[in-house]
Amino acid sequence: MRTALLQSSGRPGDTGANIAVLDAAAARAARAGAELIAAPEMFLTGYAIGDAVPRLAEPADGPSAEALSAVAARHGIAIAYGYPESDGGHTYNSARLIGADGAPLANYRKTHLYGDFERTHFTPGDTPVVQARLGSLTVGLLICYDVEFPENTRAHALAGTDLLLVPTALMHPYRFVAESLVPVRAFENQMYVAYVNRTGTEGEFAFTGLTLLAGPDGVVAARAGEGEEILLAEVDPRLPAASRETNPYLQDRRPGLYGALAESALAEPARAAARTA
């Protein structure tokens, strides 16, 4: 499945302009034979929008979602994008996947918020694995910081995710996440990981670019530079299953050992607090 990764920050603060950018990118990607286009974290509104977050946030099925469903159906291409989601008095840093017919397929809320900005403006999600079927692939969603926790990607591997879409807003000086960590995540879990970043500067944040598609063998099939770009890459639906046959990580796990390790990690802060009380 040919996949398009849109490395762009659009126009922060202007939802209509960003829908237009994604519309144009989807048209270009579809003409190139892509069946899916993915956009970065918070693409719909911009990332560094500060106190505008609650004002620009929308329900998962809000007017922008309807507009992008029409874009997907018009161009015959599935679309994944990041946006601020409003629901029940809370605002979430979310990612939504729409099918090529415009039907909603999945909505994920970022579970691990990064830094003071996100913790101030967002509520963390509590569902670690969100998936949808797209053609012959099981597609999962994480957002940015989420993928830096190995437990998240492993949960997706165990749930059968073939292609993990990760809209992101990776900033300097953390290039190593895109350069090294993401390909390792793909290899250790035998899945494709599409890591789709913003670019340029927004407020205090300078984004690295370096959008990539890493394969189940850990090989980076395609990587962007630091500027605006639509990256095209091929996802082979047969490769994740084949990789799981030859790489025994998932088969050789010993889950009985890991529960005790997690309990120990959780208990240590409590023991430290008791010692200082």
Side-chain angles (χ1 to χ4, degrees):
M1 182 177 74
R2 179 162 290 185
T3 301
L5 309 179
L6 174 61
Q7 179 167 285
S8 172
S9 288
R11 290 181 58 183
D14 190 336
T15 300
N18 293 328
I19 291 173
V21 169
L22 190 44
D23 188 352
R28 179 178 165 189
R31 288 194 299 269
E35 298 176 58
L36 165 68
I37 184 167
E41 180 177 9
M42 292 282 286
F43 183 77
L44 195 61
T45 60
Y47 181 85
I49 56 175
D51 292 338
V53 168
R55 176 173 58 82
L56 295 177
E58 296 184 16
D61 59 354
S64 293
E66 292 181 3
L68 288 172
S69 289
V71 169
R74 183 164 61 251
H75 300 303
I77 188 170
I79 297 175
Y81 63 95
Y83 73 107
E85 178 191 357
S86 60
D87 181 40
H90 297 280
T91 304
Y92 301 93
N93 184 335
S94 296
R96 184 169 173 84
L97 176 63
I98 299 170
D101 60 354
L105 296 180
N107 193 73
Y108 170 76
R109 295 167 173 173
K110 189 174 186 177
T111 54
H112 295 74
L113 301 179
Y114 177 79
D116 292 340
F117 167 72
E118 291 191 11
R119 296 188 188 104
T120 297
H121 292 288
F122 298 105
T123 298
D126 57 9
T127 303
V129 177
V130 172
Q131 298 170 310
R133 196 71 182 166
L134 194 61
S136 56
L137 291 167
T138 297
V139 177
L141 293 166
L142 291 178
I143 299 174
C144 198
Y145 194 41
D146 288 330
V147 81
E148 298 178 38
F149 293 81
E151 297 89 347
N152 283 345
T153 44
R154 181 51 52 86
H156 270 277
L158 295 174
T161 294
D162 301 308
L163 169 61
L164 185 62
L165 301 178
V166 188
T168 191
L170 182 70
M171 309 154 192
H172 289 287
Y174 304 112
R175 293 172 57 101
F176 71 89
V177 174
E179 292 172 337
S180 302
L181 186 148
V182 171
V184 169
R185 288 286 178 270
F187 176 71
E188 68 191 4
N189 292 289
Q190 292 90 65
M191 64 172 64
Y192 283 95
V193 179
Y195 191 74
V196 194
N197 200 14
R198 304 181 68 82
T199 185
T201 300
E202 294 177 44
E204 63 183 291
F205 306 116
F207 301 111
T208 66
L210 305 179
T211 289
L212 71 138
L213 178 73
D217 53 4
V219 174
V220 175
R223 185 188 295 279
E226 296 187 5
E228 300 269 341
E229 186 173 345
I230 298 177
L231 191 68
L232 293 170
E234 301 291 341
V235 173
D236 183 349
R238 301 165 296 180
L239 190 54
S243 295
R244 289 164 189 163
E245 287 295 320
T246 58
N247 184 334
Y249 280 155
L250 299 183
Q251 299 173 36
D252 290 349
R253 293 170 62 251
R254 296 183 60 192
L257 298 178
Y258 311 146
L261 292 173
E263 290 169 6
S264 175
L266 290 171
E268 182 55 36
R271 287 195 294 266
R275 286 195 296 269
T276 57

